[in-house]
Amino acid sequence: MDWSHKLLFTAFLIVAAATHGTQGDAVVTGTVFCDQCKDGQISLFDYPLYGIKVAMACPGSDGQFTILGEETTNWLGNYAMRFQGIPDLSGCYAQVLTGGQGSMGCGMAAGAAQYPRLVFRMFNMEIYTVDPLLSQPEDPLPFCPRSGSPVPVPVTPETPPPARLPPTPQPPSMPPLPPMPPVPFLEASACPYNNWTMPEYKCYWKVVSPDMKVAVVFGLLAARKYGTDITLWTALGGRGDPYKTLLREGTTALLNSYNSLQFQYHPLDVIEHLNLALMGSTRQVVLTALRFIWANSGNGNVSCRFTPCK
Ligand SMILES: *[C@@H]1O[C@H](CO)[C@@H](O)[C@H](O)[C@H]1NC(C)=O
Ligand SMILES: *[C@@H]1O[C@H](CO)[C@@H](O)[C@H](O)[C@H]1NC(C)=O
């Protein structure tokens, strides 16, 4: 057995042991996001929310809804509710409970409730998932796009024009091939922060712009730490303490993640890692900053594939 089979087998034993002799269990899992622009959907600027209460409400025989269970989200915004004896969850829904402690100002209003969906049944165990739930601050963050104007979403990269190959019997008078456009999206590329501040590479800022606010991009926690005024451009010039370094490298990692599909982090990963670091100790801030620095430097084998903009 290779290690992955062993792992699977161990998981199988644990589930078997946990379910042996019981009536059976149902586990419901899901994630809560802070919808900080209050637009009712998960957008680029929303992040998983820690310490928020979620309730599962189910219809009783009299038609009244009763709360079957309650759980609080962990640092990654996840919750898992366990119910004994395989209850009937049809008609039940999961809902954010507002006013929770630890919701960092993002627990004032709740988004739509969601129904649990059965994904997996084994022995006497049922696993359900719930689509992401949203929790909202009292007011949209000051720098959110005004309602009506959609929140920018990552642009799909333009596909490069098909390469025009010269005909096989090559006439000497062939005009030179057009230069390849600077579309490095599918290409591995990682650039340190100083490359992103060079004017000749301005055109690589495609999804986020230099004057966008850190608070909008990274969320309420970042707003608390860095203020609501600081822009991504200013963030790239930060140095001298672990928190400024974290923000500079996190911003750089975000730019790199939008610029190359092969970058080590997805944009949402960058936002999540930065938020987790801000929730932790200074040591965690330093560690996360160092990981971003390493990724932005290309992990020792990826280079910065910028070519000057026209
Ligand atoms: C990025 O910046 C470094 C250090 O300033 C420089 O050596 C390198 O040539 C730059 N890369 C590109 C593609 O301009
Ligand atoms: C760079 O190295 C890492 C392992 O160190 C590897 O996983 C990754 O695929 C490499 N990337 C490229 C583009 O070679």
Side-chain angles (χ1 to χ4, degrees):
M1 265 195 296
D2 69 24
W3 68 270
S4 64
H5 281 100
K6 277 186 194 147
L7 211 62
L8 203 66
F9 185 64
T10 311
F12 174 88
L13 285 182
I14 291 170
V15 171
T19 54
H20 177 73
T22 68
Q23 290 287 312
D25 278 335
V27 176
V28 179
T29 66
T31 308
V32 178
F33 285 85
C34 174
D35 176 22
Q36 53 175 352
C37 288
K38 298 192 81 167
D39 54 7
Q41 57 194 6
I42 299 174
S43 51
L44 177 58
F45 305 135
D46 301 335
Y47 58 92
L49 194 55
Y50 162 66
I52 195 100
K53 270 209 169 120
V54 175
M56 176 70 72
C58 297
S61 47
D62 55 357
Q64 295 285 329
F65 275 87
T66 52
I67 303 272
L68 200 64
E70 251 181 55
E71 203 47 73
T72 306
T73 57
N74 66 12
W75 276 19
L76 297 170
N78 299 318
Y79 61 91
M81 277 184 224
R82 199 178 186 100
F83 302 103
Q84 291 200 328
I86 311 268
D88 177 16
L89 294 183
S90 55
C92 299
Y93 61 85
Q95 169 92 60
V96 163
L97 294 178
T98 52
Q101 299 288 312
S103 56
M104 300 176 294
C106 197
M108 301 313 287
Q114 301 285 354
Y115 298 98
R117 276 182 291 126
L118 180 67
V119 288
F120 182 81
R121 182 181 277 137
M122 186 162 128
F123 306 117
N124 285 330
M125 183 110 170
E126 290 183 341
I127 310 281
Y128 291 83
T129 59
V130 176
D131 284 343
L133 295 170
L134 299 179
S135 185
Q136 299 169 329
E138 189 156 20
D139 297 305
L141 222 67
F143 302 103
C144 283
R146 272 172 291 114
S147 57
S149 58
V151 172
V153 289
V155 289
T156 27
E158 314 109 63
T159 36
R164 267 178 253 156
L165 294 174
T168 3
Q170 198 170 354
S173 60
M174 268 296 285
L177 290 174
M180 281 304 280
V183 184
F185 193 69
L186 295 171
E187 204 173 68
S189 172
C191 302
Y193 70 94
N194 56 298
N195 296 107
W196 281 102
T197 56
M198 294 163 86
E200 62 262 46
Y201 302 137
K202 219 175 60 196
C203 58
Y204 287 91
W205 288 69
K206 283 185 208 137
V207 179
V208 290
S209 65
D211 57 358
M212 250 182 198
K213 305 290 186 186
V214 162
V216 171
V217 175
F218 288 105
L220 281 181
L221 262 186
R224 292 252 165 100
K225 185 72 204 170
Y226 301 107
T228 48
D229 260 351
I230 181 172
T231 61
L232 295 182
W233 184 263
T234 314
L236 286 185
R239 65 193 68 211
D241 84 61
Y243 285 89
K244 287 182 181 158
T245 305
L246 173 72
L247 185 62
R248 181 190 72 221
E249 295 300 328
T251 303
T252 308
L254 186 73
L255 288 163
N256 282 320
S257 68
Y258 280 133
N259 188 54
S260 169
L261 257 185
Q262 293 192 47
F263 188 65
Q264 187 185 339
Y265 296 97
H266 181 270
L268 285 177
D269 293 337
V270 175
I271 291 169
E272 180 177 317
H273 280 87
L274 187 126
N275 274 283
L276 282 176
L278 289 179
M279 281 189 250
S281 59
T282 309
R283 186 183 132 80
Q284 202 160 350
V285 167
V286 171
L287 281 178
T288 305
L290 287 176
R291 288 198 191 108
F292 282 151
I293 289 175
W294 180 234
N296 293 331
S297 74
N299 296 325
N301 61 4
V302 178
S303 60
C304 179
R305 306 292 284 264
F306 281 172
T307 55
C309 307
K310 281 182 282 300

